[in-house]
Structures are given as C-alpha cells and as structure tokens.
Amino acid sequence: MNEIGVIKTIHDYNSIIGLETTHPLISFVDFSKIEATSNKEVKSLSFGFYSVFFKEGKNCTLKYGRNNYDYQEGSLIFIAPNQVVSIEDDGANYKPDGFALLFHPDLLLRTSLMQGIKEFTFFSYNVTEALHLSEKEKEIVMDSFRKIDYEIAHSIDKQSKQLIVANIELFLKYCLRFYDRQFLTRDTISNRIVEKLNHLLRDYLEGNKPQTIGTPSVAYCASRLNLSPNYFGDLIKKETGKSAQEFIHTIIIEKAKEKIIDFDKSISQISNELGFKYPHHFTRLFKQKVGITPYEFRSKN
C-alpha cells in the first residue's frame, strides 16, 4: 500500500512540479507549462491548503479513497485542506491537462472569506460530485483564473492580498451558481435520490435499526446513497426546500403519527422504537413539528 504524502505548503507543491514560487500563500498552475513525469504509480496526497483543479484532458484519474472517477473534460474539483486525493496516470509519461488554483488558509486571515469559506460546501464533496462546466461557464472560470494569476505575478503591495482574496471569493460564488445550475439540470437524478431517501428512511424506521443505532442521521443517509454529507445536504435543500436534517425529522414524525394512534403502545415505547434515547427528546421534536405533544395528538385521534 502506498503511503500518503503530505504537502504542507504552497512552496513545497511548487517545488515538486518545478514551478517557481512567486507568492508563499497562493499559486496558479498552468499544467501545459509543467514537464511530464514518468512515474506510473498511484500517489496518495494530502494538501495543507485549498485546491481547485480544472480538468481539461482525459488522461488521468482522480481517486478519493477506493473510488475512481475519470471526470469529464471541462470539470472542476475542489479539495479542502487535509483531504486525501490520489492521482493515477494512464501512461509512462504522465502530464495532467488544465489548471490548478491553490491557496493556503493563512491567506484568508483577517478577511471576510475566512468565515465565509464555510459557505462553499463543495470543498467537501466527493470527487464523483465534480462541477461540470458549460462553455460559457468555462470562459468565466478562465477569466477569474487570469485575474488571480495577474495579481499573483504582480509585485506585492498593500492592495495585493485584498484583490487576490476578493477574486477568489468572486470565483467561488460563481461556482455556487454553477452548482445550482447543475442541480437543476440534473433534476431527474435529484428526484430519484429524494425518492430513494424516502424508501431508505421508511425501511430504517420499520426495522430494528432505530433501537440499535438511534434515529437516522444525515451522515448515515448520505453514505447509503453514496453521496458526501455536504452534497447530499445541498441536493435535498434544493429539491425540497428543507435541510436534510429537517427532511429526516419530517419522515420520523410521519411515522410517529402512525404509531401514536396504536393505543397498545405507550409514548415511551414509541419513542424507543423510533430511536430516541430519551422520551422527552421525542416529545420536544414532535411538539416542534406538529404544534401539540404526542399525548395531545393521541387524545385528538
């Protein structure tokens, strides 16, 4: 098994690919200017910085864990610090096509993007959830890259950091818009996922998993649907208008209503069957969603 190589700094990455470091906290890489390597082994790497790869060619495969995905030409993939990614080339002379934008978290210190970076949840998406760009979107991405590259190459002055970070933030906001478009254009796929989620939750609640595992979590549902938690959450929000947690709670309460009108079971038994550790947690959630307590609901029915 290959060991995971850790690349902590922008300078370390630049040194590996033979690129001069012009700014210690950010780098823009044009892979057409990088010489090919002859190593065919799979390399697992963990970066100490944010990485955005714009893939143009089809001669390499990016891997997360055990999952391969040769994402199509004209795609963006986002990698958060300390995530592990593997790159496997197809031939003796490996040379990736496209571009990379790399920026260290320290670049964001004392900027609005330092807190706002949490908004861009796609940094924690799986590689299979890459952003596939239209031709017009590619133009916008390349224009953003050119502006960032210009500022990196420009001699550092008191405006440099502000302009660089502002352009990164603008680029990321465009990517949010493009992901919204991707969710919409893949509406059929998204609908199927919501349908699968409904079946998954109902099967879960009708079995013995609640008593052994607890109430269904977002992470559990995402993993069973082969999605990253963030992508899963964003997709459910776009499709239903509810957060993934809210959607799960809705299904739990619907099941609870069915059980409550079974007078042979106490509210505590029903709470346990639904996976709640304490009955008062169940009562609080039920009242929050329905407006009355489980006891009051039973009395009315």
Side-chain angles (χ1 to χ4, degrees), residues 164-228:
I164 289 172
V165 173
N167 277 292
I168 292 173
E169 187 169 13
L170 180 61
F171 162 69
L172 295 177
K173 286 183 175 180
Y174 270 119
C175 292
L176 272 181
R177 171 185 283 179
F178 299 157
Y179 258 116
D180 284 345
R181 183 270 309 156
Q182 183 161 294
F183 282 123
L184 290 172
T185 54
R186 297 185 173 191
D187 195 48
T188 302
I189 297 172
S190 298
N191 283 334
R192 283 204 297 267
I193 289 173
V194 174
E195 185 179 342
K196 287 180 179 178
L197 176 60
N198 266 300
H199 289 302
L200 173 67
L201 289 171
R202 294 192 182 280
D203 289 345
Y204 186 102
L205 294 171
E206 288 170 6
N208 61 0
K209 284 187 174 67
Q211 293 96 309
T212 56
I213 302 176
T215 55
S217 67
V218 172
Y220 172 86
C221 294
S223 66
R224 291 301 302 270
L225 295 170
N226 297 315
L227 299 171
S228 65

Side-chain angles (χ1 to χ4, degrees), residues 108-118 165-166 169 173:
L108 310 183
L109 292 175
R110 296 184 298 280
T111 71
S112 60
L113 187 54
M114 184 178 179
Q115 292 299 321
I117 196 72
K118 298 175 184 177
V165 173
E169 187 169 13
K173 286 183 175 180

Side-chain angles (χ1 to χ4, degrees), residues 18-35:
L19 184 68
E20 181 184 357
T21 299
T22 56
H23 194 295
L25 299 178
I26 185 169
S27 181
F28 177 73
V29 182
D30 180 350
F31 285 109
S32 67
K33 299 177 182 179
I34 305 300
E35 293 192 10

